[in-house]
Amino acid sequence: AKHEVRTGDVFYIPAGRVHAIGKGIRLLEVQQSSDVTYRIYDYDRLDFNGQPRELHTNLAVQALDFQVYKEYRSEYQENTNTANLCLDTEFFTVRVVDIEEPIRRNMVKYDSFIIQSCVEGECKIRIRSTQDEVTLRQGYSCLIPAAIADYDMIPATPHAKVIESY
């Protein structure tokens, strides 16, 4: 099934679900680290030596989820000046943070690094313990170590939207 996408759409694609990203789509892909990808079709792409890349059809068949689901989009709240829960899986959590004024994010309790990825506008991230600051512009990401994951997010434009993953 083909799904037309709109800005802000979220699709959760667990292991075993066949998917492809269409031409002209810019996205942020959050995933658990894995060394396994089963390529079942490759659009006739070539590797660095000009050869077709290896397909893994036999292995893929054993791992595929053949169930068809009614809906593949994930629904989430879009409230301003808060972190809106988008996905909470056993492997990672994703929140959409849409800010127009400074907010504090104390994430130390999660004992995980935090990745902030700016998708609209720009904001500053200021670490509370050191006052170190970085400007996060649209299209850029910042990894915040777990030990210092208590910080303020300060919009540098009238509006900024950041995807928070941990």
Side-chain angles (χ1 to χ4, degrees):
K2 184 176 180 178
H3 299 277
E4 296 299 324
V5 297
R6 300 174 307 277
T7 300
D9 276 352
V10 172
F11 292 87
Y12 177 52
I13 312 292
R17 190 174 293 168
V18 176
H19 61 282
I21 301 161
K23 183 178 179 178
I25 295 173
R26 183 179 303 170
L27 60 89
L28 175 68
E29 184 174 10
V30 177
Q31 64 183 16
Q32 177 194 16
S33 296
S34 172
D35 293 333
V36 178
T37 296
Y38 293 145
R39 199 174 296 117
I40 57 177
Y41 181 68
D42 199 29
Y43 303 92
D44 301 320
R45 293 182 183 131
L46 303 178
D47 66 15
F48 293 115
N49 298 317
Q51 300 299 311
R53 298 194 305 180
E54 180 183 4
L55 298 181
H56 311 98
T57 50
N58 290 334
L59 290 169
V61 166
Q62 297 171 36
L64 286 179
D65 173 3
F66 287 98
Q67 183 174 346
V68 176
Y69 298 87
K70 182 179 177 182
E71 182 60 58
Y72 292 89
R73 277 183 188 83
S74 297
E75 297 293 326
Y76 61 95
Q77 297 292 315
E78 296 186 62
N79 298 313
T80 306
N81 300 320
T82 189
N84 299 283
L85 181 62
C86 189
L87 293 172
D88 191 14
T89 76
E90 66 179 298
F91 304 111
F92 56 84
T93 299
V94 177
R95 296 179 188 273
V96 176
V97 186
D98 197 340
I99 57 173
E100 294 175 354
E101 60 187 46
I103 65 168
R104 181 179 183 179
R105 300 297 294 142
N106 186 346
M107 307 293 286
V108 175
K109 66 183 175 185
Y110 295 108
D111 193 28
S112 171
F113 62 84
I114 313 296
I115 299 175
Q116 295 287 359
S117 302
C118 187
V119 295
E120 288 181 28
E122 104 182 25
C123 71
K124 294 180 185 293
I125 295 177
R126 182 179 301 139
I127 303 301
R128 284 186 164 238
S129 62
T130 64
Q131 294 301 300
D132 287 327
E133 191 173 272
V134 63
T135 298
L136 200 54
R137 292 178 175 85
Q138 182 175 341
Y140 287 81
S141 295
C142 175
L143 187 142
I144 302 168
I148 59 170
D150 182 10
Y151 52 92
D152 293 307
M153 297 176 68
I154 306 157
T157 53
H159 166 254
K161 186 179 283 188
V162 178
I163 308 300
E164 176 180 275
S165 310
Y166 57 94

